[in-house]
């Protein structure tokens, strides 16, 4: 069958085009001072953008090991008076997801402003069939003084190389804010990893990190964070943690969740006795509007998780708390997803806003 149309091709909106770099640029590796890279706890030892160690004491499940190469949660931070900033990126693959924008899967996005008050200013664009790109993230008037720039790494892709470009002659200094603060560690699912945010900075862990001016360690693993003992052991070695958020329920059957939740928490607690732990039950799915059994199963898990947290608290762990995830998206939770499960940007914003007070309370920050 052939198709024909009398519709004439339209001129592409200039704002929809990818733009080549123009002007004079100076390029830097973010692995060299004064740049600071966050979100990769083993970066200093291994020199790669990876969320878990290459050779942990206990072997990781193969899927977790592969997904650890996705750079969700990574950040580059620096201060500069450059009026424009670009990135030159080499990825592990091309855009491949049918329900998530390439800007979220493969892109960087940029924020400017002081810690806790950053504002979004631009996202990298790329050709879908290419595994590398260079792109201007933002360009404007030269600022009167240095400002903090934050670049968020891609959520669902590995990054083998990245270089930061600034306008020639621009001053660059370190932003040391996160060095003096603890980290927030998130462990969970594809949703935790950031599926299906339109760009990296809108994943709910990144929104919370910005609000609290803290480094985020995103250990969300698409379909594969299942309360593994090996993961509890590895996560327990991460230092300077202000809060550990446990959000892996949606990856498990009810039976597996009930088998793993308490042992997972206890193993982590044996390594990190003082870190506050926040257990989050999963958000509701759109299918609950059609199938009551889905709601019943979710509520069963919710009650179970709440009881586990209560038991651990009564046993003497006063640094553990629970959040009912079914309340995070509001009554119109169905409008907060891309595919009935994974949040869109509205859903992620509601998740972040709903979780933020609980995290603030458990870490003792107003």
């Amino acid at each position: 069958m052939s198709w024909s149309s009398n519709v004439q091709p339209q001129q592409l909106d200039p704002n929809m085009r990818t733009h080549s770099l123009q002007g004079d640029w100076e390029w830097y590796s973010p692995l060299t001072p004064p740049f600071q890279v966050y979100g990769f706890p083993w970066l200093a030892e291994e020199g790669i953008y990876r969320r878990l160690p290459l050779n942990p004491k206990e072997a990781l499940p193969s899927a977790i090991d592969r997904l650890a190469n996705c750079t969700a949660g990574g950040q580059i931070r620096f201060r500069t008076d450059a009026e424009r900033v670009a990135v030159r990126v080499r990825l592990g693959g091309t855009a491949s997801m049918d329900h998530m924008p390439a800007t979220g899967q493969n892109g960087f996005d940029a924020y400017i402003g002081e810690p806790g008050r950053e504002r979004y200013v631009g996202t990298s664009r790329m050709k879908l069939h290419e595994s590398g790109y260079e792109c201007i993230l933002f360009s404007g008037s030269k600022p009167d003084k240095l400002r903090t720039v934050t670049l968020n790494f891609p959520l669902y892709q590995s990054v083998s190389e990245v270089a930061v470009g600034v306008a020639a002659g621009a001053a660059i200094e370190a932003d040391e804010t996160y060095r003096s603060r603890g980290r927030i560690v998130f462990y969970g699912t594809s949703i935790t990893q950031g599926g299906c945010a339109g760009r990296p900075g809108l994943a709910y862990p990144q929104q919370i990190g910005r609000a609290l001016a803290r480094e985020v360690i995103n250990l969300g693993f698409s379909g594969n964070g299942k309360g593994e003992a090996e993961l509890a052991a590895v996560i327990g070695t991460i230092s300077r943690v202000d809060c550990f958020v446990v959000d892996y329920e949606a990856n498990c059957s009810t039976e597996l969740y009930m088998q793993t939740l308490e042992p997972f928490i206890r193993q982590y607690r044996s390594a990190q006795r003082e870190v506050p732990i926040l257990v989050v039950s999963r958000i509701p799915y759109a299918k609950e509007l059609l199938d009551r059994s889905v709601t019943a199963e979710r509520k069963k898990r919710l009650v179970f998780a709440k009881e586990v947290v209560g038991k651990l608290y009564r046993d003497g762990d006063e640094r553990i708390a629970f959040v009912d995830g079914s309340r995070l998206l509001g009554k119109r939770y169905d409008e907060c997803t891309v595919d009935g499960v994974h949040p869109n940007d509205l859903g992620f914003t509601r998740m972040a806003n709903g979780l933020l007070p609980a995290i603030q309370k458990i870490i003792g920050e107003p």
Side-chain angles (χ1 to χ4, degrees):
M1 179 182 292
S2 62
W3 295 83
S4 62
S5 174
N6 294 323
V7 178
Q8 297 298 311
Q10 300 295 310
Q11 287 290 331
L12 186 67
D13 181 343
N15 292 316
M16 300 293 286
R17 296 181 182 139
T18 56
H19 297 284
S20 59
L21 273 63
Q22 297 179 350
D24 295 327
W25 295 87
E26 294 176 349
W27 292 92
Y28 299 88
S29 167
L31 298 176
T32 59
F35 295 88
Q36 305 283 352
V37 179
Y38 297 96
F40 309 111
W42 292 271
L43 179 65
E45 294 82 7
E46 299 180 349
I48 59 174
Y49 305 118
R50 180 177 156 90
R51 296 182 290 157
L52 292 174
L54 277 171
N55 297 297
K57 292 181 179 179
E58 296 186 52
L60 299 172
S62 59
I64 293 285
D65 189 55
R66 174 178 52 82
L67 287 165
N69 292 313
C70 295
T71 54
Q75 286 189 339
I76 302 167
R77 295 177 65 87
F78 58 100
R79 292 178 59 78
T80 184
D81 63 354
E83 66 268 30
R84 61 184 187 271
V85 170
V87 287
R88 181 181 290 158
V89 184
R90 180 62 57 190
L91 303 168
T94 60
S96 59
M97 301 178 75
D98 62 6
H99 64 332
M100 182 172 179
T103 47
Q105 181 185 3
N106 288 6
F108 281 75
D109 66 6
Y111 286 73
I112 60 173
E114 298 310 303
R117 298 190 296 276
E118 295 98 333
R119 298 295 298 271
Y120 162 76
V121 289
T123 308
S124 59
R125 306 284 295 281
M126 72 290 299
K127 295 180 179 178
L128 302 185
H129 63 281
E130 294 182 350
S131 60
Y133 61 84
E134 57 181 33
C135 179
I136 298 174
L137 288 174
F138 65 85
S139 178
S141 303
K142 190 174 181 64
D144 297 329
K145 58 183 180 179
L146 272 68
R147 57 193 177 191
T148 299
V149 176
T150 304
L151 310 182
N152 293 298
F153 276 75
L155 296 168
Y156 267 76
Q157 189 57 269
S158 61
V159 175
S160 57
E161 296 179 30
V162 59
V164 178
V166 298
I172 303 175
E173 294 181 358
D175 178 82
E176 299 282 1
T177 305
Y178 286 7
R179 294 292 187 188
S180 61
R181 292 171 176 249
R183 298 153 156 170
I184 304 176
V185 178
F186 295 84
Y187 170 69
T189 68
S190 54
I191 295 172
T192 314
Q193 187 175 332
C196 295
R199 54 182 177 80
L202 288 174
Y204 86 81
Q206 292 301 84
Q207 293 198 47
I208 290 171
R210 269 197 310 281
L212 297 177
R214 280 172 168 79
E215 178 182 7
V216 163
I217 308 298
N218 186 327
L219 299 179
F221 299 103
S222 184
N224 285 280
K226 299 180 180 180
E228 304 90 343
E230 304 95 321
L231 263 293
V234 172
I235 297 170
T237 67
I238 298 174
S239 61
R240 297 191 300 105
V241 179
D242 278 351
C243 184
F244 179 37
V245 180
V246 179
D247 185 20
Y248 75 89
E249 174 195 335
N251 274 348
C252 298
S253 65
T254 300
E255 182 181 11
L256 182 60
Y257 190 55
M258 290 182 171
Q259 289 174 353
T260 59
L261 182 60
E262 184 174 343
F264 180 85
I265 294 171
R266 287 190 181 277
Q267 182 163 352
Y268 178 81
R269 178 59 81 213
S270 69
Q272 297 287 351
R273 298 188 178 280
E274 301 299 323
V275 173
I277 299 173
L278 185 67
V279 177
V280 183
S281 65
R282 78 159 176 84
I283 59 174
Y285 297 160
K287 192 175 181 181
E288 295 189 25
L289 297 172
L290 304 171
D291 188 342
R292 294 178 182 176
S293 68
V294 177
T295 302
E297 199 68 13
R298 176 180 56 76
K299 290 182 176 179
K300 181 179 179 180
R301 299 182 191 199
L302 187 157
V303 170
F304 165 76
K306 192 172 183 179
E307 288 176 348
V308 167
V309 170
K311 175 185 175 183
L312 293 170
Y313 187 90
R314 291 190 299 273
D315 286 348
D317 189 346
E318 297 183 356
R319 294 177 178 269
I320 190 167
F322 175 79
V323 168
D324 179 352
S326 68
R327 300 176 182 271
L328 297 177
L329 300 183
K331 292 183 179 180
R332 294 303 305 272
Y333 58 85
D334 50 304
E335 297 285 17
C336 293
T337 73
V338 169
D339 54 6
V341 174
H342 297 90
N344 54 26
D345 297 337
L346 172 63
F348 276 124
T349 299
R350 289 187 178 179
M351 287 186 72
N353 290 341
L355 287 170
L356 186 59
I359 295 175
Q360 288 174 311
K361 180 179 181 179
I362 202 171
I363 67 176
E365 183 166 303

